[in-house]
Amino acid sequence: DAGVTQSPTHLIKTRGQQVTLRCSPKSGHDTVSWYQQALGQGPQFIFQYYEEEERQRGNFPDRFSGHQFPNYSSELNVNALLLGDSALYLCASSPRQGGLGWGEQYFGPGTRLTVT
Amino acid sequence: QKEVEQNSGPLSVPEGAIASLNCTYSDRGSQSFFWYRQYSGKSPELIMSIYSNGDKEDGRFTAQLNKASQYVSLLIRDSQPSDSATYLCAASGYSSASKIIFGSGTRLSIRP
C-alpha cells in the first residue's frame, strides 16, 4: 500500500521565481491538505482540496495556489517567491470525513524549499 | 487567535520511565485532537487521535482528553531511545468549515 508521495524532495529557487510542488495521496484517500513548516515550528495549514476544489484555506496570501486532479493528486504553486517562503512543505492526505471535520491525516515526506 | 500550546522542551526522561507530554488549546469548539511524532528531518507521523473525554490507549501510548480544562496529553510508557523525537499536538473543530491548528511541538529526549 503506497503512502503519500511528494516531489521533488529538495528544491532551490531564486527570489521572485515560481515553484510547483506535487503530491499523490495515500491509496483510498481523496482529500489532500498542504502545510508549510518552518524550522522549529509546527505545520501551518495552507489549504485543503477535495473533489478538485479548494475547500478550506489558512492565512496564506494569494501567491499560494493549488490544484487537485481527478486522480486526487495535487499541486501547490507559489508565485513571486520570497526568502521567507523557505520551509518544508508537507502534503497530507485523509479520507473524506463526510462533513464531520478533520480526520486522521497521513503526511508525505515533504519538499524542502530553499529560496535564495 | 486560536492557538494550541505546547512546552517546547526538551523534556528529558530516563529509559523505561513514563514520558508525559501536554498540550492546551484555546478554541472551546475543538472536537478532534491528534498526536504526531516527528523525527528530525522527517515528516510527522500520526500516533493517535482522540475525540471524547477520557483516556485512549494504544500499545505504550495513552492519550488523555479533558475538554472542560481544554487540555490533551500523551503518555508514553516504558520509554525507549527510539521515542526521542518532537511530538506535535493538533486540534480541530467538528465541521467541514473548521481549521486544524498544530502546536509547535515538544522535543522529547530519552536518556539511556
Side-chain angles (χ1 to χ4, degrees):
Chain A
D1 178 23
V4 181
T5 60
Q6 290 186 246
S7 63
T9 305
H10 296 88
L11 204 52
I12 300 175
K13 289 287 189 177
T14 302
R15 189 172 48 184
Q17 286 187 318
Q18 178 264 344
V19 67
T20 296
L21 311 182
R22 296 176 174 82
C23 170
S24 290
K26 183 179 169 64
S27 178
H29 290 182
D30 56 9
T31 300
V32 174
S33 301
W34 286 92
Y35 296 84
Q36 179 193 69
Q37 187 176 26
L39 203 60
Q41 299 297 316
Q44 298 294 310
F45 171 65
I46 303 175
F47 42 53
Q48 181 186 74
Y49 277 85
Y50 170 68
E51 290 185 335
E52 301 179 50
E53 289 189 15
E54 182 182 296
R55 298 290 178 168
Q56 283 228 45
R57 190 178 185 92
N59 295 325
F60 279 80
D62 292 345
R63 298 188 298 109
F64 290 77
S65 64
H67 189 77
Q68 186 179 34
F69 299 94
N71 66 352
Y72 309 123
S73 67
S74 176
E75 288 182 349
L76 164 65
N77 300 293
V78 186
N79 294 324
L81 285 167
L82 303 174
L83 296 179
D85 294 332
S86 295
L88 178 66
Y89 287 85
L90 295 161
C91 168
S93 74
S94 58
R96 184 62 176 168
Q97 295 300 296
L100 296 180
W102 294 79
E104 296 180 348
Q105 297 183 87
Y106 295 85
F107 284 86
T111 295
R112 173 72 61 187
L113 173 64
T114 302
V115 182
T116 62
Chain B
Q1 177 79 4
K2 298 173 182 176
E3 294 180 340
V4 173
E5 301 283 348
Q6 296 182 256
N7 188 319
S8 62
L11 175 64
S12 181
V13 173
E15 185 174 354
I18 296 175
S20 177
L21 303 162
N22 299 314
C23 168
T24 59
Y25 59 95
S26 62
D27 182 9
R28 283 199 171 274
S30 297
Q31 299 288 335
S32 307
F33 304 88
F34 309 91
W35 283 101
Y36 288 84
R37 176 176 63 198
Q38 186 171 26
Y39 293 113
S40 180
K42 301 295 185 182
S43 62
E45 173 192 9
L46 180 68
I47 298 175
M48 292 189 71
S49 59
I50 187 166
Y51 305 96
S52 303
N53 277 330
D55 295 359
K56 179 181 178 182
E57 186 175 318
D58 184 0
R60 296 187 297 112
F61 299 96
T62 299
Q64 299 175 318
L65 174 59
N66 184 322
K67 291 183 180 179
S69 300
Q70 295 180 246
Y71 84 78
V72 194
S73 63
L74 180 70
L75 302 178
I76 306 175
R77 290 182 298 281
D78 188 24
S79 295
Q80 303 297 310
S82 60
D83 295 326
S84 297
T86 295
Y87 289 79
L88 299 164
C89 171
S92 71
Y94 204 55
S95 78
S96 60
S98 302
K99 301 282 193 296
I100 187 165
I101 300 174
F102 281 79
S104 296
T106 297
R107 193 154 50 95
L108 174 65
S109 176
I110 306 300
R111 57 181 190 271

